[in-house]
Amino acid sequence: SHLVLPNQSPILKTVDVPLMYVAIENKREQAEIVRQNAPAARLEFVDNAGHALFVDQPDVFNRILSGFLADL
């Protein structure tokens, strides 16, 4: 059985700080929900990774994160 959590996407509309959403390629649908609720969010996608993309692709993740932080 899957853990079902209440929809938290409306909270994204209240975020007033830079936001980045990093996901694996097959989570583009979830990323679109983020985009709809936080249009200024930066979306990034990582290929060839699983749920723990920062473990599976640490160099890619670190490059993405470093770029995001550098732009702040």
Side-chain angles (χ1 to χ4, degrees), residues 10-42:
I11 292 170
L12 293 171
K13 294 177 183 175
T14 68
V15 174
D16 63 352
V17 295
L19 175 67
M20 179 175 64
Y21 184 84
V22 183
I24 56 178
E25 276 295 330
N26 68 351
K27 297 295 182 182
R28 285 190 175 271
E29 188 174 315
Q30 286 180 341
E32 188 52 39
I33 293 169
V34 172
R35 170 80 72 213
Q36 290 170 2
N37 289 280
R42 180 172 171 173

Side-chain angles (χ1 to χ4, degrees), residues 20 42 59-72:
M20 179 175 64
R42 180 172 171 173
D59 293 337
V60 174
F61 179 81
N62 288 336
R63 180 181 43 77
I64 291 169
L65 180 59
S66 293
F68 176 73
L69 294 174
D71 289 343
L72 295 180

